[in-house]
Amino acid sequence: MLNKYARAFFTRVLTPFAALLLRLGVSPDAVTLVGTAGVMAGALVFFPMGEFFWGTIVITIFVFSDLVDGNMARQAGISSRWGAFLDSTLDRVADGAIFAGFALWYAGSGDDNILCAVAIFCLASGQVVSYTKARGESIGLPVAVNGLVERAERLVISLVAAGLAGLHTFGVPGIDILLPIALWIVAAGSLVTLIQRVVTVRRESAEADAAGPDAGEPTAAGQAGSAGQAGQVGQGSEGDR
């Protein structure tokens, strides 16, 4: 939902910056790798220490690499299957690091086993939500549903709440409650999204099986078409998963 509007807006805003990086000889893959490393550092260094404000600032700076690398690839005309694969794979790594950082805080100084479990559930469910769509598409189904909480919603809800909760260290009272609330929202929303996608795949697979033994299988032409689309979209193509 958020991805539909936010990605288009920020892509336009970041286009000049992407063009500058290309002129400096920076590759889209390098931006993808640096961006992921920055997100992981922000999440796994700052969050376990309870430094949610500064951790969120660092993560926010680097998370925009997910838009910059794809923009660079399109401007340079070098979009590729490898770029799309690398970007979507490292997105999963970055997302996992964010919720792992929350879990480490609650398992340690945060001292709350229930919220630690909720953070772990958010980590796992986010990966599975992405997998269900990717796996459904790989067996030739359209998976024509997005769901209540996609990647953009997971990141915005959790990071905004974490950043605001971090203001507690600056003397703002009671605001630290926002992070637990956000984790519960993301957990519930991810569960609903997972159910939506599983139900959709179940329905689409039944329709494909009823239409014929080959209806649900990706043909050689279909695979080529999908690969071509992946090449055109390039890096950043799975940001909505």
Side-chain angles (χ1 to χ4, degrees):
M1 292 184 294
L2 284 175
N3 185 75
K4 178 180 178 181
Y5 304 103
R7 179 171 287 269
F9 171 76
F10 284 110
T11 296
R12 288 194 297 271
V13 171
L14 294 172
T15 293
F17 180 62
L20 174 62
L21 291 178
L22 287 172
R23 289 196 295 271
L24 294 175
V26 179
S27 72
D29 286 353
V31 172
T32 303
L33 291 168
V34 170
T36 302
V39 171
M40 292 180 65
L44 298 177
V45 173
F46 289 94
F47 285 175
M49 297 189 299
E51 294 289 345
F52 295 116
F53 178 80
W54 294 114
T56 299
I57 294 297
V58 172
I59 291 171
T60 301
I61 291 172
F62 284 100
V63 82
F64 281 106
S65 67
D66 189 46
L67 300 176
V68 173
D69 55 8
N71 194 316
M72 292 172 64
R74 286 187 291 273
Q75 287 191 49
I78 55 174
S79 297
S80 65
R81 298 175 182 85
W82 163 250
F85 170 81
L86 179 67
D87 184 72
S88 59
T89 299
L90 293 184
D91 280 349
R92 307 288 84 79
V93 174
D95 293 357
I98 290 171
F99 289 104
F102 294 143
L104 288 171
W105 162 251
Y106 286 116
S109 300
D111 193 23
D112 193 319
N113 289 336
I114 293 178
L115 288 175
C116 176
V118 173
I120 292 173
F121 179 83
C122 290
L123 190 163
S125 60
Q127 307 298 315
V128 177
V129 163
S130 298
Y131 175 79
T132 53
K133 187 164 187 173
R135 182 58 179 143
E137 290 173 344
S138 75
I139 58 176
L141 301 175
V143 195
V145 63
N146 290 321
L148 181 64
V149 176
E150 298 176 275
R151 182 176 186 248
E153 285 82 8
R154 292 195 299 269
L155 289 179
V156 169
I157 293 170
S158 58
L159 291 179
V160 168
L164 292 175
L167 295 176
H168 179 74
T169 59
F170 295 94
V172 180
I175 201 166
D176 51 327
I177 191 63
L178 291 178
L179 181 55
I181 292 173
L183 289 176
W184 280 107
I185 290 174
V186 171
S190 296
L191 179 59
V192 171
T193 303
L194 177 59
I195 293 172
Q196 288 176 304
R197 290 189 174 181
V198 170
V199 169
T200 299
V201 170
R202 177 70 182 88
R203 174 179 52 79
E204 291 177 349
S205 63
E207 292 172 352
D209 291 342
D214 298 325
E217 295 296 329
T219 62
Q223 289 176 325
S226 298
Q229 289 176 346
Q232 292 168 5
V233 174
Q235 289 162 299
S237 62
E238 289 206 12
D240 62 340
R241 295 199 186 273

